[in-house]
Amino acid sequence: MTRDEELRVTQQTVQTLQETLMERDVEIRRLQSMGREQEVESRKTREQVRELRNTVAGWESEGQRMADWQQRARALVAGLDSLRHSRTIRLLRRFSPERDLRGTLPHALRALEQESAGMMATTSGFRLQPGINLQRVPFVTYPLSLPKANLQGIRLAPVFDLPVTTGWIEIEILSLSQRRIAQGRIPCAEIAERMPLTVTFSPHIETQAGTYWLRVSTRDVNGPVRLLEWRRYRFFGCGGLQTRACCGLVSSS
């Protein structure tokens, strides 16, 4: 190989090495850039994790505060319920009855009010008011007149001081001899406030027009449950309390 050829080979080798070095330099800069991006991404991730931890801690703190307030609210409701059923308040309700809610109910309950009033022989002397807390009694019973056969369910108007999230309301239809004819129940968690409560009977039953008993009870509820009912004390408060259900009927066509 001549000297010129050796020089040319050397120059080509140097050029190849320079190109390789440039490629390696570009690769190093790219890796460094990726490293910086990964560091930035890692920093962002750490910040997000820290924010999430702070958020969860805030939720836990807020949840604890809410639980405390709920506990206090239920304690106040329990105290109010005890006051309602004290001897003094019961005497006051007897001789100075609470106001009549007739005509003041939410729009969704007005049809129920009108239907229940139409089922009574008279509403004279009766006041539409919440009844006793069903937690305090095994059940409440109302006379029920069915104008037609094939009763499939009952609509009622429950009253809650606070949302009731556990337990259920149970409804029974009894004959005059106390024989159970139909039964249905609904979880309290599924009940919408200020709306009629509809309980259907399963399996469906065949009833005849006539007089029956409507029995309502609660099981395992975590707060007071009352029903709107028609109430009247006889003999200007000196006689017994008469109650009629504020209810509607669900019948098959």
Side-chain angles (χ1 to χ4, degrees), residues 135-146:
Q135 290 179 300
R136 292 180 169 270
V137 293
F139 51 79
V140 292
T141 304
Y142 306 98
L144 180 66
S145 296
L146 300 184

Side-chain angles (χ1 to χ4, degrees), residues 44-100:
K44 288 182 179 179
T45 301
R46 289 196 297 270
E47 290 176 356
Q48 290 173 350
V49 169
R50 186 163 51 251
E51 290 176 358
L52 284 174
R53 286 176 177 171
N54 293 336
T55 300
V56 170
W59 286 347
E60 291 176 348
S61 177
E62 185 65 23
Q64 183 60 48
R65 284 197 295 269
M66 288 295 295
D68 291 342
W69 279 110
Q70 288 177 352
Q71 185 175 2
R72 294 179 186 180
R74 294 200 179 279
L76 287 173
V77 166
L80 176 61
D81 186 64
S82 297
L83 179 63
R84 285 194 190 111
H85 293 87
S86 66
R87 179 177 176 81
T88 301
I89 296 300
R90 284 188 286 114
L91 287 173
L92 286 174
R93 292 188 70 182
R94 175 181 288 270
F95 294 104
S96 300
E98 296 175 318
R99 71 187 184 97
D100 191 353

